Amino acid sequence: MATKDKLIIFDTTLRDGEQSPGASMTRDEKIRIAKSLERMRVDVIEVGFPMASAGDFEAVRAVASVIKESIVCGLARALKKDIERASEALKTAMSARIHTFIATSPIHMQQKLHMTENQVIEQAVAAVKQAKQYTDDVEFSPEDAGRSEFEFLCRVIEQVIMAGATTINIPDTVGYNVPHQFGSLVGRLIENVPNSDQVIFSVHCHNDLGLAAANSLSAVLNGARQVECTVNGLGERAGNASLEEVVMTVHTRQDVFSCTTSLDTKLIVPTSRIVSTITGFPVQPNKAIVGANAFAHEAGIHQDGVLKARETYEIMRAEDVGWASNKIVLGKHSGRNAFRTRLNELGVTFRTEEELNVAFANFKDLADRKHDIYDEDLHALVSETSCEKSEYFKLVSLKAHSETGEIPSAQVTLLVDGEERKAESNGGGTVDATFCAIETIAASQAQLQLYSVNNITTGTDAQGEVTVRLQKSGRIVNGHGADTDIIMASAKAYLHALNKLVVPETRAHPQHDV
Ligand code: KIV
Ligand code: ZN
């Protein structure tokens, strides 16, 4: 049997995923997700855009110093200052990659960059040469390649390979391409660029038409050997190609693909849960592979078939993507050491004993209300504990009343910048009444754009995880809260979002600001 090529999985959940409105992550959250990606044996982890902000620089630096098995990558525009900043952030990485890019489509060059073709080539070549001084592993992306002119694309790519690029990534930045066309573009580039055999061709597809995974896979059939993707398909606008769909298609259809990945697919669902918990972006129930219904058989005829022979309706085994790996890890009687050890395994470390004590007290409180504690519960708990540290609005008490024939009401007491404030409100339901009472105190005038509730694990004693999205003056933030009591989880989520809104944010977007 012919040996299969390796398909490199480049995860950009922490960079492009973070460009989803409201999905910004803290340094510690990025570390936890990066550790999970490393455990899953993702080959390259793109952690951020170090030039975006001091916070993003610090996140890339911190992840670079803890990840040992995967290549750690930082994004940089084809600009001297960006590449210097990325190389500084990646200094401590065991294996570092700089990913530099510049737009090559006529519309981007004319309207955004105001540059000629030759100027773009010159800047791209200079950027690759500069990046090469810091690391051998340099990736170049002609942004909006999917709408670029073929001859020009060939010229840029040939030149950056001569300058030392080792990976050429072809982005469908605006999700405009369709599978046969995008596959053929990548195939023709490999055929026509004279030095294409010196590099790995990669693809980076956006999901504006729902074709990101299909376009990526079509490119793989035409010679691409790296796919850039995100967990749960998170990403700018409609998102990126989803890691789970790309990986499981290649694994399930080995009769079609002449390559394979090194991923431990059993960690797909646990990683999806971690990303969802941390970002507050719930996974839709019918999402392929990681949605709650992905392996649930509703129709009686299907259930009957599956019981007789699984293959009648299932093309993958739920266990192979990690659905069965929901292990009970801790409980009421677990001690501080067991708690600390499990969290260390999940990539969570405490800077001080005090931090550990607060998290452990929260854990004990949860274990009193919930019999079995899973990894997902621990992730939610740690997210909450780290939010509590920097709270401007802090929940002191909440009393909600719901009774047949009565108007639902809520009484809320908050600490606002250290001062106790109380409010009472009615509402359409107890959640609505709680939000109205909080708003009476906070007077944020933020608009509620999304309210959603998900069970973190199964059972009626499971923690409900609530996501609240608020918008104010064009800024969007997501808040999340988890609790065995949904009203409490909702209040926590609302306050989490409000606390984000009170902190001014200055963050450059890699593709909007040159
Ligand atoms: O979508 C895109 O073009 C990007 C590039 C920075 C690779 O995210
Ligand atoms: Zn992108």
Side-chain angles (χ1 to χ4, degrees):
M1 202 178 78
T3 51
K4 298 253 178 184
D5 286 354
K6 178 178 167 85
L7 179 64
I8 297 167
I9 297 298
F10 175 117
D11 181 279
T12 182
T13 308
L14 301 177
R15 197 279 296 171
D16 216 319
E18 196 185 31
Q19 287 174 215
S20 318
S24 70
M25 294 165 239
T26 64
R27 184 191 78 149
D28 291 353
E29 288 169 341
K30 284 197 173 189
I31 292 177
R32 279 155 59 202
I33 294 178
K35 288 244 180 183
S36 198
L37 295 170
E38 183 184 42
R39 262 199 307 279
M40 188 158 63
R41 297 202 289 268
V42 159
D43 302 286
V44 187
I45 305 174
E46 186 168 56
V47 185
F49 170 47
M51 195 65 200
S53 64
D56 221 23
F57 174 87
E58 179 50 25
V60 176
R61 203 197 53 73
V63 171
S65 57
V66 297
I67 294 298
K68 304 291 172 220
E69 306 293 331
S70 311
I71 296 170
V72 179
C73 177
L75 183 72
R77 291 167 297 189
L79 295 174
K80 198 163 181 286
K81 57 181 182 184
D82 279 35
I83 293 169
E84 270 166 14
R85 197 83 177 130
S87 71
E88 184 63 29
L90 291 166
K91 229 177 192 165
T92 55
M94 195 86 112
S95 315
R97 173 178 299 186
I98 295 179
H99 176 191
T100 187
F101 74 99
I102 189 164
T104 52
S105 63
I107 184 166
H108 277 231
M109 289 190 295
Q110 285 155 22
Q111 306 294 332
K112 184 177 91 171
L113 300 176
H114 309 292
M115 285 168 77
T116 63
E117 290 187 346
N118 285 344
Q119 285 170 326
V120 165
I121 293 187
E122 208 175 296
Q123 196 164 315
V125 166
V128 170
K129 284 189 176 157
Q130 188 195 346
K132 217 48 195 178
Q133 293 169 10
Y134 304 110
T135 172
D136 273 344
D137 190 348
V138 175
E139 173 169 328
F140 173 78
S141 292
E143 188 194 357
D144 204 16
R147 293 189 299 170
S148 298
E149 280 170 5
F150 185 72
E151 300 303 329
F152 176 56
L153 209 47
C154 289
R155 270 206 297 141
V156 180
I157 293 172
E158 182 183 0
Q159 294 293 319
V160 293
I161 296 174
M162 277 160 55
T166 43
T167 300
I168 298 296
N169 179 48
I170 307 300
D172 181 19
T173 302
V174 290
Y176 177 68
N177 283 243
V178 293
H180 78 281
Q181 171 206 1
F182 192 66
S184 137
L185 168 66
V186 172
R188 285 189 304 130
L189 286 172
I190 295 175
E191 222 172 271
N192 285 279
V193 172
N195 47 4
S196 67
D197 59 333
Q198 295 172 22
V199 293
I200 298 280
F201 272 77
S202 164
V203 286
H204 174 111
C205 297
H206 279 272
N207 208 28
D208 299 67
L209 293 171
L211 294 172
N215 285 342
S216 305
L217 291 163
S218 172
V220 171
L221 290 172
N222 283 276
R225 286 296 174 265
Q226 173 176 288
V227 174
E228 301 199 353
C229 47
T230 57
V231 175
N232 300 338
L234 215 63
E236 182 90 34
R237 304 182 310 278
N240 289 62
S242 94
L243 177 144
E244 56 275 12
E245 291 170 18
V246 169
V247 170
M248 288 317 292
T249 303
V250 171
H251 279 232
T252 307
R253 297 307 306 271
Q254 278 289 289
D255 55 329
V256 172
F257 291 92
S258 56
C259 54
T260 189
T261 79
S262 322
L263 252 71
D264 179 355
T265 60
K266 288 197 167 61
L267 292 177
I268 286 179
V269 169
T271 307
S272 155
R273 294 259 179 92
I274 291 166
V275 170
S276 168
T277 304
I278 288 179
T279 57
F281 275 57
V283 175
Q284 76 194 56
N286 58 331
K287 169 80 179 64
I289 327 286
V290 295
N293 288 354
F295 292 87
H297 295 277
E298 170 72 23
I301 189 166
H302 285 205
Q303 288 177 358
D304 183 51
V306 169
L307 288 175
K308 285 181 182 139
R310 193 184 51 79
E311 292 78 9
T312 48
Y313 285 100
E314 273 187 13
I315 56 165
M316 296 167 276
R317 296 185 330 158
E319 317 75 282
D320 290 346
V321 296
W323 275 106
S325 67
N326 214 4
K327 290 195 206 80
I328 301 165
V329 289
L330 296 171
K332 195 178 165 74
H333 302 293
S334 306
R336 237 167 79 100
N337 251 341
F339 176 71
R340 188 208 306 252
T341 306
R342 186 61 198 152
L343 282 176
N344 282 351
E345 285 163 6
L346 295 176
V348 180
T349 48
F350 296 98
R351 269 177 276 257
T352 61
E353 281 299 296
E354 175 55 23
E355 264 184 29
L356 169 65
N357 291 343
V358 173
F360 186 62
N362 288 349
F363 161 73
K364 280 290 181 189
D365 178 45
L366 176 64
D368 276 340
R369 288 175 284 131
K370 185 173 189 294
H371 191 259
D372 303 321
I373 309 284
Y374 300 88
D375 283 343
E376 290 84 349
D377 292 313
L378 293 178
H379 276 289
L381 186 123
V382 171
S383 292
E384 297 234 325
T385 308
S386 59
C387 294
E388 280 167 15
K389 282 188 289 191
S390 54
E391 283 176 336
Y392 181 84
F393 297 107
K394 203 177 172 85
L395 184 66
V396 177
S397 68
L398 165 64
K399 188 169 160 190
H401 184 79
S402 164
E403 189 179 337
T404 314
E406 297 286 324
I407 296 174
S409 63
Q411 292 170 16
V412 171
T413 306
L414 301 182
L415 270 186
V416 183
D417 203 14
E419 187 189 322
E420 196 164 292
R421 308 267 301 275
K422 289 179 194 299
E424 188 168 353
S425 187
N426 293 334
T430 40
V431 170
D432 187 38
T434 302
F435 286 6
C436 288
I438 293 176
E439 194 50 34
T440 306
I441 299 171
S444 75
Q445 293 175 344
Q447 281 173 344
L448 180 69
Q449 286 202 326
L450 173 105
Y451 170 76
S452 83
V453 189
N454 257 333
N455 257 17
I456 293 185
T457 54
T458 51
T460 49
D461 75 338
Q463 292 197 86
E465 184 180 36
V466 173
T467 302
V468 162
R469 182 175 304 156
L470 296 181
Q471 202 243 34
K472 190 179 175 188
S473 317
R475 183 158 163 225
I476 295 174
V477 293
N478 279 342
H480 43 274
D483 201 286
T484 48
D485 178 335
I486 296 296
I487 316 296
M488 193 61 88
S490 304
K492 287 179 182 175
Y494 197 89
L495 289 169
H496 183 213
L498 282 182
N499 279 320
K500 283 187 177 173
L501 273 184
V502 293
V503 180
E505 193 191 43
T506 44
R507 189 186 166 79
H509 186 293
Q511 285 148 295
H512 294 171
D513 169 38
V514 177

